[in-house]
Amino acid sequence: MSPPYLLPLNNTVELPEKTRAALDSIEQQFDLPTKKLEEIVEQMLWEFGKGLSEQPTKETKDTFMPMIPTYLQHIPSGKETGTFLALDLGGTNLRVCEVTLLGDSKWTMRQQKYKVSQALKMGEVAALFDYIANSVDQFLTEIGTTGDPNEKLYLGFTFSFPVAQTALAKGTLINWTKGFECKNAVGKDVAQLLQDALDRKHIHVKCSALVNDTAGTLMAAAYERGDCLCGGIFGTGTNGAYVEDVAKITKESKTKEELEQAKKDGLDKMVVNTEWGAFDNERVVMPFTIFDSRVDRISINPRKQAFEKMISGMYLGEVTRNVVLHLVDAQVIFKGFSSKSLNAHYGLDTAIMSALEAFSLPNSDSAADPIASIRKCITKDLGIADELVSDADCVAVARVSEIVGTRGCRLSACALAATIKQTGNDKSDKEVKFGLDGSLVEFYPRFDQRVKDALRELLGEDVVKRVVIDLAKDGSGVGAALCAQAAMAMEAKAKH
Ligand code: BGC
């Protein structure tokens, strides 16, 4: 049984038999014992191999992770310099940033956030890119840039969706995720869409790199702290990019001579964007509960992003909401009554899970009276009338949150373990560094502890001792600038 993290709460409140039995059943459905974790890692390694060796076809494209080569071959040393623009699209907001790399592993940033409305997320893609170009224009007018006014500004575009990349600044959208569904975008080159929109507005900016947020996070972590194996996002969506041997990306079909030359030129490694959110779309190994199926069925991308839907911020709250509703319908909690928020799709934000479980953190404000803080959450955030909520209900809801969240963390650990094994780092004696970013990493109580516990079960203490998990905050902005810098350096090299 997966370890409970909030157990102390159970000892303070007597749970009625019905509540206990209902929770036991939920616990069983969401449990991921070590053996299951091992099977998941094995299957993930199989998908890694498949994705590295086979170009997906129309028929096979949803059956294994895409494992996209990013054409990023220069991992930053920390000495890079220059001023670049960075655009970040992929979560809740659009960000325009001006990043100055100072060359001593440090950087400064000026940024502005722009809201991406639901209408833009679902409308014509041209409207979305016009909006992006307008935002760049507005940024340059209102905030300006310290770059050389006579030179074209280089821009790195962090576009956090699956893109089939064919060069550093070229790639076509495979499919939308995370609630975006713009029309006429799939199959189009997104860097070109951006450049066209910028050109239409006569903005003197060149989109020189197209970057996934995970690759950006990896680049930023390497710039700030040296060697980094993998950049990962556990936020609205989830994904990871890691440094792979070019020789293992066999779908790129390089000859032996080309591989030898690459080695001589120091180009024998490349960042691969795994798109692990799409792991197990075929439902081979993960135990899907009826709650997962409900979430999937009403999502805008059914049968896609299976792993993401059990892990990331966009869906964890929704899975929890479905379980809580089940307890309501079974007359276990809230005297069988629900609320408008609880009935609404996505009505339980993942941030509420963080609030429900916050008391388990040392020095938490809510630690003194956990039941009171959970009750506040249930009545204020979920809109359940106070008189309907017993202390046992509070324990039940927090426990459901913990069960769903712990499963998410344990699955997250599988992705890290698979990356460690894929790169042979389970057998080396080197430090293995992950740069992670996203709301779960930053705000979900005991995310790192739960991940590390599962990693320990999978790989043993000796390996876990060497694993460093750094919070790589703001990787996507700085990472995009680093990719724009890499593109500029490559262009300069090609000229000489
Ligand atoms: C996207 C990835 C992205 C991840 C994290 C997923 O939905 O497919 O490209 O890296 O979210 O933002």
Side-chain angles (χ1 to χ4, degrees), residues 196-231:
D196 291 346
L198 291 168
D199 293 349
R200 275 200 296 276
K201 292 205 127 311
H202 308 289
I203 303 171
H204 207 48
V205 165
K206 174 179 169 146
C207 173
S208 63
L210 187 57
V211 197
N212 186 264
D213 51 354
T214 53
T217 301
L218 167 59
M219 298 287 277
Y223 176 78
E224 284 174 22
R225 305 186 189 94
D227 247 7
C228 180
L229 174 71
C230 174

Side-chain angles (χ1 to χ4, degrees), residues 26 30 289-296 298 315-329 342-348 400 404:
I26 302 292
F30 281 81
T289 66
I290 52 166
F291 309 105
D292 298 304
S293 295
R294 266 178 214 160
V295 171
D296 183 53
I298 57 147
Y315 304 101
L316 273 185
E318 184 61 358
V319 179
T320 304
R321 185 183 74 88
N322 273 285
V323 182
V324 172
L325 270 185
H326 161 76
L327 295 184
V328 169
D329 293 342
L342 200 55
N343 289 340
H345 286 163
Y346 297 94
L348 193 159
V400 166
V404 176

Side-chain angles (χ1 to χ4, degrees), residues 144-304:
T145 169
T146 50
D148 184 342
N150 300 316
E151 294 286 333
K152 227 180 197 187
L153 261 176
Y154 276 60
L155 176 146
F157 182 19
T158 302
F159 183 76
S160 307
F161 301 96
V163 162
Q165 228 160 326
T166 47
L168 192 49
K170 235 183 181 15
T172 53
L173 177 65
I174 301 175
N175 56 259
W176 289 111
T177 58
K178 297 179 290 195
F180 276 70
E181 216 187 3
C182 285
K183 292 171 201 74
N184 295 317
V186 171
K188 298 250 170 74
D189 181 345
V190 281
Q192 195 59 53
L193 286 175
L194 174 64
Q195 192 63 58
D196 291 346
L198 291 168
D199 293 349
R200 275 200 296 276
K201 292 205 127 311
H202 308 289
I203 303 171
H204 207 48
V205 165
K206 174 179 169 146
C207 173
S208 63
L210 187 57
V211 197
N212 186 264
D213 51 354
T214 53
T217 301
L218 167 59
M219 298 287 277
Y223 176 78
E224 284 174 22
R225 305 186 189 94
D227 247 7
C228 180
L229 174 71
C230 174
I233 302 283
F234 295 94
T236 308
T238 183
N239 186 16
Y242 72 104
V243 184
E244 182 56 285
D245 292 336
V246 168
K248 284 203 207 152
I249 313 174
T250 51
K251 65 181 170 188
E252 294 278 275
S253 44
K254 294 230 178 327
T255 61
K256 216 169 147 207
E257 289 70 35
E258 281 171 327
L259 286 172
E260 266 159 27
Q261 189 56 43
K263 188 156 196 181
K264 273 191 210 135
D265 299 340
L267 297 174
D268 53 341
K269 302 270 183 198
M270 188 184 282
V271 176
V272 170
N273 168 16
T274 65
E275 287 294 337
W276 68 40
F279 169 64
D280 206 23
N281 280 345
E282 291 282 274
R283 303 192 172 200
V284 173
V285 68
M286 291 200 294
F288 290 80
T289 66
I290 52 166
F291 309 105
D292 298 304
S293 295
R294 266 178 214 160
V295 171
D296 183 53
R297 195 176 310 122
I298 57 147
S299 71
I300 60 168
N301 51 355
R303 290 287 170 155
K304 294 209 168 109

Side-chain angles (χ1 to χ4, degrees), residues 470-484:
D470 277 334
L471 175 65
K473 237 184 110 38
D474 229 340
S476 44
V478 182
L482 283 159
C483 293

Side-chain angles (χ1 to χ4, degrees), residues 412-481:
S412 307
C414 290
L416 305 196
T419 310
I420 292 173
K421 284 189 143 189
Q422 169 69 20
T423 49
N425 275 296
D426 52 332
K427 306 222 167 64
S428 77
D429 49 13
K430 285 198 307 216
E431 186 177 86
V432 188
K433 207 178 279 176
F434 287 86
L436 303 186
D437 198 5
S439 45
L440 290 171
V441 185
E442 211 179 338
F443 304 117
Y444 189 55
R446 297 188 190 282
F447 174 86
D448 50 346
Q449 185 191 342
R450 301 184 211 196
V451 168
K452 279 231 165 148
D453 285 349
L455 267 185
R456 194 168 292 112
E457 289 168 43
L458 279 162
L459 302 171
E461 180 59 25
D462 279 355
V463 178
V464 174
K465 268 200 314 231
R466 292 188 282 110
V467 175
V468 179
I469 298 182
D470 277 334
L471 175 65
K473 237 184 110 38
D474 229 340
S476 44
V478 182

Side-chain angles (χ1 to χ4, degrees), residues 65-225:
M65 284 148 41
M67 306 296 287
I68 304 163
T70 63
Y71 301 91
L72 272 174
Q73 298 201 268
H74 293 282
I75 309 298
S77 64
K79 298 206 170 67
E80 293 71 13
T81 55
T83 295
F84 303 91
L85 277 188
L87 262 183
D88 183 6
L89 178 77
T92 335
N93 294 305
L94 164 73
R95 270 195 316 153
V96 184
C97 327
E98 185 211 49
V99 181
T100 301
L101 304 170
L102 300 172
D104 53 357
S105 300
K106 298 212 163 48
W107 45 268
T108 56
M109 182 191 280
R110 299 189 298 161
Q111 60 167 313
Q112 191 83 9
K113 284 187 183 161
Y114 302 88
K115 183 129 191 66
V116 183
S117 66
Q118 203 54 24
L120 281 173
K121 286 186 184 172
M122 313 291 277
E124 273 295 324
V125 73
L128 176 68
F129 279 84
D130 279 339
Y131 178 75
I132 299 176
N134 273 333
S135 306
V136 174
D137 200 21
Q138 198 178 330
F139 180 89
L140 291 174
T141 314
E142 286 172 9
I143 306 213
T145 169
T146 50
D148 184 342
N150 300 316
E151 294 286 333
K152 227 180 197 187
L153 261 176
Y154 276 60
L155 176 146
F157 182 19
T158 302
F159 183 76
S160 307
F161 301 96
V163 162
Q165 228 160 326
T166 47
L168 192 49
K170 235 183 181 15
T172 53
L173 177 65
I174 301 175
N175 56 259
W176 289 111
T177 58
K178 297 179 290 195
F180 276 70
E181 216 187 3
C182 285
K183 292 171 201 74
N184 295 317
V186 171
K188 298 250 170 74
D189 181 345
V190 281
Q192 195 59 53
L193 286 175
L194 174 64
Q195 192 63 58
D196 291 346
L198 291 168
D199 293 349
R200 275 200 296 276
K201 292 205 127 311
H202 308 289
I203 303 171
H204 207 48
V205 165
K206 174 179 169 146
C207 173
S208 63
L210 187 57
V211 197
N212 186 264
D213 51 354
T214 53
T217 301
L218 167 59
M219 298 287 277
Y223 176 78
E224 284 174 22
R225 305 186 189 94

